[in-house]
């Protein structure tokens, strides 16, 4: 059984200096702080080992899109190199036939272990808050389409983002919850009260908080405050310096705690590539200085970020270095795993999948292990 030692390891939420892991097949067989019980097979000096990142909202990367069947593996491989060992592949709004085809392709990829499941971001979103989604294809969640999508996914759809103010949304929320799908609220112009109602029906995630939703106002708090107030809701944040001001990120984490914040990339195919023109579904996206926007507009269209980049950002939130590292692990691994109902991932502890990332002193990826194999 391979034995790994590192100068620092985050084990089950605690920073151990040094620490060790023993791997048996695809699982963690033993772990602990201090000196390892034998001669290590890999000794990572001056390095930090953390759980593999879990990205619960990502559309592509490395020039590849999860919208294209032949590009799914390439997108997953690109993000794995940046430490993402568990991916929830996101689909944007599309016509009914295209949506079903995309779901079926990703369902196959899920069964082969390329991704961990599907996130449907649309088509049941607000026209007023559509962001980079094609407004011509936005529609109400009709029961027949909801059933068709669930049938095409055959148990692989893990999360759906919808706007709770659209007619039929209450019934859709109930249907998805009954099917074991996590319901997220986003791309929404809902009022504070309507958002509360959706949460009462079982919605449990706020999709990229503040972005593409009615802004907070002192007389109409809107969806953001309702999502933050509910202890049952996990909120997604994109701390890339574009979607949110750093002070907003810090304020949210301080207010609700890292156990309710899931860091996401919302990355598109342009992640890891040069500036230029890209497609996000039916929408043309222009990337300049690493910022993606809908063609000829100022509307942000996803990101070009990777999870290791965002880990570096959130690991600096706080004066206590070890506490900040533990919180960063929580937000990039443990919290998204819990929000999605994923078991045996999201932490380094006995019996969990051997998914880990080795980071150097600058918190840059030097090695990645997924299910016990170095990738």
């Amino acid at each position: 059984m391979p034995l790994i030692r590192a100068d620092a390891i985050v084990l089950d939420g605690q920073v151990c200096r040094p620490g060790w892991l023993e791997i048996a097949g695809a699982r963690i067989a033993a772990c602990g702080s201090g000196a390892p019980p034998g001669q290590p097979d890999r000794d990572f000096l001056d390095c930090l080992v953390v759980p593999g990142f879990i990205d619960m909202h990502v559309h592509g990367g490395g020039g590849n899109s999860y919208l294209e069947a032949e590009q799914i593996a390439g997108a997953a491989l690109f993000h794995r190199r940046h430490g993402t060992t568990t991916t929830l592949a996101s689909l944007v709004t599309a016509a009914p036939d295209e949506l079903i085809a995309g779901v079926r392709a990703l369902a196959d990829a899920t069964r082969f272990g390329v991704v961990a499941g599907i996130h449907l971001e649309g088509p049941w979103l607000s026209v007023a808050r559509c962001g980079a989604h094609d407004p011509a294809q936005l529609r109400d969640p009709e029961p027949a389409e909801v059933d068709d999508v669930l049938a095409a996914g055959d148990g692989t759809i893990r999360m759906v983002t919808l706007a709770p103010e659209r007619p039929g949304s209450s019934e859709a929320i109930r249907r998805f919850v009954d099917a074991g799908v996590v319901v997220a609220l986003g791309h929404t112009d809902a009022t504070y009260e309507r958002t509360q109602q959706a949460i009462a029906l079982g919605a449990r995630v706020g999709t990229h908080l503040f972005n593409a939703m009615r802004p907070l106002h002192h007389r109409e708090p809107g969806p953001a405050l309702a999502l933050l107030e509910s202890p049952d809701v996990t909120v997604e944040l994109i701390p890339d310096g574009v979607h949110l001001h750093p002070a907003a990120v810090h304020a949210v984490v301080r207010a609700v705690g890292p156990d309710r914040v899931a860091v996401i990339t919302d990355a598109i195919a342009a992640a890891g590539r040069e500036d230029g023109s890209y497609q996000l579904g039916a929408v043309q996206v222009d990337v300049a200085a690493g910022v993606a926007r809908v063609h000829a507009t100022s509307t942000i269209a996803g990101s070009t970020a990777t999870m290791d980049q965002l880990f570096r950002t959130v690991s600096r939130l706080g004066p206590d270095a070890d506490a900040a590292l533990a919180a960063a692990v929580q937000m990039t691994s443990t919290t998204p795993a819990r929000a999605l109902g994923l078991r045996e991932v999201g932490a380094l502890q006995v019996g969990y999948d051997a998914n880990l990332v080795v980071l150097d002193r600058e918190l840059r990826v030097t090695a990645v292990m997924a299910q016990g194999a170095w990738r």
Side-chain angles (χ1 to χ4, degrees), residues 146-198:
V146 170
D147 286 343
D148 287 347
V149 164
L150 287 171
D154 192 24
T156 62
I157 297 173
R158 284 200 170 268
M159 187 166 76
V160 170
T161 293
L162 54 77
E165 70 274 20
R166 292 205 73 117
S169 65
S170 293
E171 293 77 10
I173 291 171
R174 293 189 188 98
R175 178 72 179 92
F176 283 123
V177 170
D178 287 346
V181 176
V182 176
V183 174
L185 306 180
H187 286 276
T188 174
D189 202 37
T191 63
Y192 172 79
E193 291 79 13
R194 183 67 193 97
T195 306
Q196 285 184 314
Q197 292 167 6

